Amino acid sequence: SDRRTTMTGDPLAVARRHYRQAAKLTEPVAAHGSRWEAGRARLGAAIDGIAAVQEGIHLAQRQWLFDHRLAVAAVDVQRSHAALALQFPQFARQVASFADSPLSLPETVIASGDLYPGQDLPPALHSNTAAFHAGDILFAAAHLPRTDALCEIGAGHGAAARLWLRNPVRRPRLYILLDFPESLFFAELFLRLELPEAEHRYLLSAADATGLAEAGADRRPVIAYLPVALATAIADLPLDAVLNSAGFQEFGPDWLAFYRD
């Protein structure tokens, strides 16, 4: 199948095939830092042993490398929502609509009925992770006139991308996840299952970036998975924002210079 179209079939097989192809690409030579040096090796070793999509998603969510997901009490999420409503009063009514995925680890999510009993809210799940990413999205919506074309550096397992493409305030037409192949494996696994209506493109050459400037014009969102080895393929792509969630502070100077350039 053409990589630039939505691929059918088992998301696990598709993501694993893309990972193996991307892992062969030559990456920039830069120190990853002790956490990610060991983390990449651990994730790479785990990928072949994953037997089901749900297993892969839960494995990623248990890794401190990704989104720092915790088992939280209702009061913790309530406090996060209250803080977001105070920080972004123009979006106060939408804060409780930033929901987590039903695919997430059960011990890390709280149902809206348990979070706000007695309120007439649609069924949804909430977590510390969803509240954290909601803050980034609301900040961007409050300060940027357009967020139609976005690139996230350090995409984790796709939690932020999912919320950008499912939130009640503003949704992009193009979302590029730029990361190591190991992270992109888990992100693709998660997002193909969560967002089957999107067009999923995995870029394995500079030529695969052709047409991204017009992607999503038919109102069907495009999710592009971009291995760090091919980062320069989008150097001239018009983007409304380049995003990073709590990652830059642990990047070494070589990676920071690479992304800045």
Side-chain angles (χ1 to χ4, degrees):
S1 300
D2 187 338
R3 286 193 300 271
R4 292 178 56 191
T5 62
T6 299
M7 297 182 67
T8 58
D10 178 13
L12 180 57
V14 172
R16 188 176 278 142
R17 181 170 67 250
H18 285 155
Y19 165 68
R20 289 170 178 164
Q21 293 172 298
K24 297 176 183 177
L25 300 173
T26 302
E27 293 183 359
V29 178
H32 297 324
S34 59
R35 196 169 76 98
W36 269 100
E37 195 73 51
R40 289 190 70 181
R42 188 167 71 246
L43 293 173
I47 286 173
D48 281 339
I50 295 170
V53 174
Q54 187 81 60
E55 177 189 343
I57 294 168
H58 286 179
L59 187 153
Q61 291 184 340
R62 287 191 177 98
Q63 299 295 318
W64 198 253
L65 291 163
F66 290 120
D67 61 8
H68 297 198
R69 179 177 292 270
L70 300 170
V72 291
V75 66
D76 299 317
V77 179
Q78 291 166 350
R79 286 171 178 164
S80 294
H81 285 178
L84 289 171
L86 286 172
Q87 187 177 2
F88 306 105
Q90 67 272 48
F91 302 125
R93 291 181 179 274
Q94 286 83 29
V95 164
S97 297
F98 281 78
D100 207 309
S101 167
L103 301 173
S104 290
L105 285 165
E107 63 267 27
T108 67
V109 293
I110 299 171
S112 54
D114 296 327
L115 193 61
Y116 298 112
Q119 295 191 25
D120 186 21
L121 292 172
L125 298 173
H126 300 274
S127 68
N128 70 308
T129 300
F132 173 78
H133 290 307
D136 287 344
I137 293 169
L138 293 174
F139 183 89
H143 294 282
L144 298 176
R146 288 169 55 90
T147 51
D148 291 337
L150 304 176
C151 175
E152 183 185 5
I153 294 172
H157 80 282
R162 173 198 164 273
L163 205 55
W164 263 107
L165 291 159
R166 279 280 167 83
N167 80 84
V169 173
R170 194 188 289 181
R171 302 180 183 185
R173 60 173 177 79
L174 170 65
Y175 198 100
I176 301 171
L177 299 97
L178 173 58
D179 210 334
F180 300 130
E182 291 80 10
S183 290
L184 293 182
F185 165 83
F186 291 100
E188 185 178 16
L189 199 63
F190 181 52
L191 294 173
R192 281 186 178 276
L193 208 60
E194 265 290 316
L195 295 154
E197 72 276 11
E199 180 181 343
H200 297 259
R201 301 186 186 183
Y202 201 108
L203 281 60
L204 288 167
S205 71
D208 288 340
T210 303
L212 280 181
E214 297 79 35
D218 61 355
R219 300 196 177 278
R220 180 188 182 195
V222 171
I223 303 173
Y225 306 88
L226 180 63
V228 69
L230 296 173
T232 56
I234 62 165
D236 297 322
L237 186 69
L239 295 167
D240 295 312
V242 179
L243 315 169
N244 176 262
S245 293
F248 279 169
Q249 64 266 39
E250 67 173 299
F251 285 16
D254 292 341
W255 279 115
L256 290 174
F258 171 77
Y259 286 123
R260 182 191 64 232
D261 293 344

